[in-house]
């Protein structure tokens, strides 16, 4: 009898220990009813960070709050600007006043909720007999002096054009021959990339990209710290002639001709920004069908709204301007979400989203993901790990988000939301820099997150773990 009692006591203690361990585990999923919610797409363009048509300016030092506020009020989150150094192409030292002016302009951009694409240039042509640019040693000295300013304002710099070399900083027509000097071009590219770690640098010409990186960027190599993973493409004569005014070689059988370059870029631009501007009206390639097809292939993130005006007017008259405006960069439409009706304190919360990216590209810069419980007296922001919006290329994605509800979250009813803020601490709390789903009735403009539905948080004790009790045969 004593042996039987001892065995019984051992079994009881083991079951009790198992029950306590599992019931108190912070990641345990408790039985609950799920709800499936469908959402209505927004038919309009959605103002989102780091994408879309953008205005262009010739000198960053001339810009202030008014310019950036105007850009945002016109539906633009990106602004392109030169940093014009014509006055310093013969001087190794940039004055403190210039560096302070750049800093002031970037501060103004932050206040007005926009980001910048920047390019440094020493002349604005004219082509083919342009004014001088700077020699390599001076370019490298200037990059070194600009680096601290760029780093201090990296949060509002979307990415760079490589710039510095030749007319308009486009890597052609250098009066110092740098556009034909592979070593010089490599040094400028590497110096600019080192100046602001993690930022993309776009090159103007596919032969330059393919010379430095003979094979296209792969999925495995994307979003790493390698230089290859940080080099994008800007085409400043997009579809403006058969060769895009020399962007592509004219011979279709050339290994660097347009078909070969497009095949390379179609792969690489899945993971890096691509954009630019048109420079002349050329209807054979700029008709709506052809233009949209090429923007899809090259995963266009941005396009100059300021130039060329004849092309913008052509797209408006042909009826595709609004389509292009909505699809530049990413456009994330939430179709459906499955979420629990209630969860227990300290338990796992799992949400499944069905998202269609109707844009030309995915978000290209890092972007954290949070699930948010927002109640009358408590807000809980919970980071989601293992989910990267940069992988949400144009297509439909089923995305599972899993977090653990802290046991300290008060019992009550909450609105559950998805929050995609800027990763930089200085911008994370600013809703203007958060991603908005292209849906009606989901956007919380005050906080910058996307509401999914209502979830109740219940006490842990209201979920008895009966599944772990011994079964009794009847």
């Amino acid at each position: 009898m004593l042996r039987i009692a001892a065995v019984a006591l051992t079994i009881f203690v083991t079951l009790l220990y198992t029950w306590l361990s599992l019931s108190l585990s912070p990641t345990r999923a408790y039985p609950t009813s799920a709800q499936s919610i469908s959402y209505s797409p927004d038919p309009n363009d959605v103002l989102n960070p780091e994408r879309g048509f953008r205005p262009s300016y010739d000198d960053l030092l001339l810009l202030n709050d008014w310019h950036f506020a105007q850009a945002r009020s016109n539906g633009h989150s990106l602004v392109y600007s030169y940093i014009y150094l014509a006055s310093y192409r013969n001087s190794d030292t940039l004055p403190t006043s210039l560096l302070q002016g750049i800093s002031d302009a970037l501060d103004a951009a932050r206040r007005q909720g926009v980001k910048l694409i920047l390019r440094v240039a020493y002349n604005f042509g004219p082509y083919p007999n342009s004014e001088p640019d700077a020699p390599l040693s001076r370019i490298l000295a200037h990059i070194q002096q600009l680096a601290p300013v760029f780093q201090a304002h990296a949060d509002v710099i979307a990415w760079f054009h490589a710039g510095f070399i030749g007319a308009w900083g486009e890597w052609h027509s250098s009066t110092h021959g740098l556009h034909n000097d592979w070593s010089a071009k490599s040094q400028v590219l590497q110096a600019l990339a080192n100046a602001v770690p993690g930022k993309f640098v776009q090159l103007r010409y596919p032969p330059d990209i393919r010379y430095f990186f003979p094979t296209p960027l792969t999925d495995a190599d994307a979003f790493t710290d390698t230089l290859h993973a940080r080099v994008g493409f800007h085409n400043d004569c997009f579809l403006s002639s058969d060769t895009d005014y020399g962007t592509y070689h004219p011979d279709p059988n050339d290994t660097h001709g347009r078909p070969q370059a497009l095949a390379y870029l179609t792969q690489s631009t899945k993971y890096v920004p691509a954009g630019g501007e048109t420079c002349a009206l050329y209807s054979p390639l700029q008709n709506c069908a052809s233009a949209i097809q090429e923007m899809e292939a090259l995963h266009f993130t941005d396009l100059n709204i300021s130039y060329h005006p004849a092309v913008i007017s052509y797209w408006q008259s042909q009826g595709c301007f609004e389509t292009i405006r909505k699809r530049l960069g990413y456009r994330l439409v939430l179709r459906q979400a499955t979420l629990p009706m209630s969860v227990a304190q300290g338990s796992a919360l799992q949400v499944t989203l069905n998202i269609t990216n109707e844009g030309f590209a995915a978000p290209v810069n890092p972007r954290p993901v949070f699930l948010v419980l927002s109640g009358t007296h408590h807000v809980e922001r919970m980071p989601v790990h293992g989910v990267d919006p940069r992988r949400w290329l144009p297509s439909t994605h089923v995305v599972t988000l899993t977090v653990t509800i802290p046991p300290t979250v008060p019992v009550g009813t909450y609105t559950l939301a998805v929050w995609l803020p800027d990763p930089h601490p200085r911008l994370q709390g600013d809703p203007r820099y958060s991603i908005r789903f292209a849906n009606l009735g989901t956007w919380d403009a005050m906080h910058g997150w996307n509401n999914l539905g209502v979830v109740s948080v219940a006490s842990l004790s209201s979920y008895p773990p009966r599944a772990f009790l011994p079964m009794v045969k009847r």
Side-chain angles (χ1 to χ4, degrees):
M1 292 292 293
L2 290 175
R3 179 176 295 177
I4 294 173
V7 171
L9 180 60
T10 300
I11 293 173
F12 173 77
V13 170
T14 301
L15 288 172
L16 179 62
Y17 178 80
T18 302
W19 182 85
L20 288 171
S21 299
L22 290 170
S23 64
L24 296 177
S25 170
T27 58
R28 185 183 176 200
Y30 286 84
T32 184
S33 299
Q35 51 183 322
S36 182
I37 304 174
S38 297
Y39 305 89
S40 299
D42 189 332
N44 303 305
D45 181 40
V46 174
L47 180 57
N48 261 319
E50 301 170 346
R51 59 154 295 273
F53 279 114
R54 38 84 173 173
S56 177
Y57 295 97
D58 286 345
D59 191 346
L60 182 64
L61 269 67
L62 300 179
L63 304 185
N64 55 39
D65 285 84
W66 182 88
H67 298 91
F68 298 126
Q70 280 292 105
R72 187 153 185 103
S73 68
N74 290 331
H76 308 305
S77 68
L78 280 175
V79 172
Y80 169 88
S81 181
Y82 288 94
I83 296 175
Y84 192 43
L85 299 185
S87 299
Y88 309 102
R89 57 191 173 216
N90 296 316
S91 172
D92 287 335
T93 303
L94 298 176
T96 302
S97 58
L98 171 83
L99 301 177
Q100 185 60 54
I102 295 172
S103 179
D104 291 343
L106 294 173
D107 282 337
R110 186 183 301 106
R111 286 192 295 268
Q112 301 305 324
V114 301
K115 291 197 178 189
L116 284 125
I117 303 170
L118 295 176
R119 186 198 303 181
V120 178
Y122 294 100
N123 67 64
F124 288 159
Y127 183 84
N129 299 311
S130 70
E131 295 180 1
D133 57 355
L136 176 63
S137 61
R138 187 159 296 136
I139 290 173
L140 297 179
H142 287 172
I143 291 175
Q144 188 175 24
Q145 294 166 69
L146 290 166
V149 180
F150 290 159
Q151 292 168 13
H153 298 278
D155 57 320
V156 290
I157 298 174
W159 49 81
F160 292 92
H161 289 183
F164 291 96
I165 294 175
W168 296 281
E170 284 193 31
W171 284 39
H172 65 75
S173 310
S174 167
T175 57
H176 292 83
L178 302 183
H179 63 290
N180 290 322
D181 185 336
W182 290 110
S183 175
K185 290 192 285 189
S186 177
Q187 289 181 67
V188 171
L189 174 60
Q190 189 67 65
L192 183 57
N194 290 342
V196 191
K199 290 295 178 183
F200 290 108
V201 179
Q202 292 177 303
L203 292 178
R204 172 70 179 90
Y205 292 103
D208 289 329
I209 300 173
R210 297 177 68 193
Y211 177 86
F212 294 130
F213 314 107
T215 58
L217 191 62
T218 66
D219 184 77
D221 294 329
F223 311 124
T224 62
D225 291 332
T226 65
L227 184 60
H228 189 186
R230 294 173 55 196
V231 171
F233 170 56
H234 70 95
N235 182 348
D236 284 8
C237 274
F238 180 63
L239 300 178
S240 297
S241 76
D242 287 339
T243 65
D244 290 7
Y245 277 83
T247 300
Y248 304 104
H249 288 200
D251 182 0
N253 297 316
D254 187 339
T255 56
H256 290 289
R258 187 179 196 123
Q260 294 81 8
L262 286 176
Y264 178 105
L265 292 169
T266 295
Q267 168 62 25
S268 290
T269 56
K270 293 177 182 178
Y271 316 108
V272 296
E277 66 183 21
T278 57
C279 67
L281 181 62
Y282 187 66
S283 57
L285 289 181
Q286 289 167 348
N287 65 81
C288 284
S290 297
I292 289 174
Q293 182 179 18
E294 187 126 341
M295 289 181 203
E296 288 176 339
L298 296 179
H299 305 95
F300 256 41
T301 53
D302 66 277
L303 202 60
N304 187 0
I305 191 71
S306 307
Y307 196 79
H308 192 285
V311 181
I312 301 300
S313 296
Y314 177 65
W315 285 336
Q316 290 171 334
S317 67
Q318 294 295 305
C320 62
F321 175 81
E322 288 300 322
T323 297
I324 293 171
R325 182 165 71 166
K326 288 191 290 187
R327 297 189 62 191
L328 280 167
Y330 57 89
R331 179 178 171 84
L332 305 178
V333 181
L334 180 62
R335 302 296 181 185
Q336 193 172 57
T338 301
L339 52 146
M341 297 183 70
S342 64
V343 290
Q345 296 166 317
S347 68
L349 166 62
Q350 187 173 92
V351 176
T352 300
L353 307 178
N354 188 299
I355 297 173
T356 300
N357 183 354
E358 295 181 348
F360 296 136
V364 292
N365 282 322
R367 182 70 51 169
V369 181
F370 289 79
L371 284 176
V372 179
L373 289 172
S374 176
T376 304
H377 303 293
H378 184 82
V379 175
E380 193 72 36
R381 298 168 178 86
M382 299 164 288
V384 178
H385 302 291
V387 176
D388 190 348
R390 295 176 297 180
R391 302 285 182 180
W392 298 348
L393 287 163
S395 182
T396 296
H397 302 268
V398 177
V399 181
T400 299
L401 311 177
T402 304
V403 296
T404 298
I405 305 294
T408 54
V409 173
V411 170
T413 300
Y414 294 85
T415 298
L416 179 64
V418 176
W419 185 36
L420 302 165
D422 194 276
H424 198 284
R426 190 154 49 181
L427 300 182
Q428 192 160 99
D430 190 332
R432 296 173 298 180
Y433 292 99
S434 296
I435 288 181
R436 174 182 177 179
F437 291 153
N439 289 94
L440 297 172
T442 57
W443 181 239
D444 184 326
M446 179 179 294
H447 299 100
W449 55 58
N450 303 274
N451 292 328
L452 301 179
V454 175
V455 173
S456 296
V457 174
S459 170
L460 184 67
S461 61
S462 65
Y463 288 87
R466 291 175 294 176
F468 296 98
L469 297 177
M471 294 183 64
V472 179
K473 293 184 179 180
R474 298 186 181 273

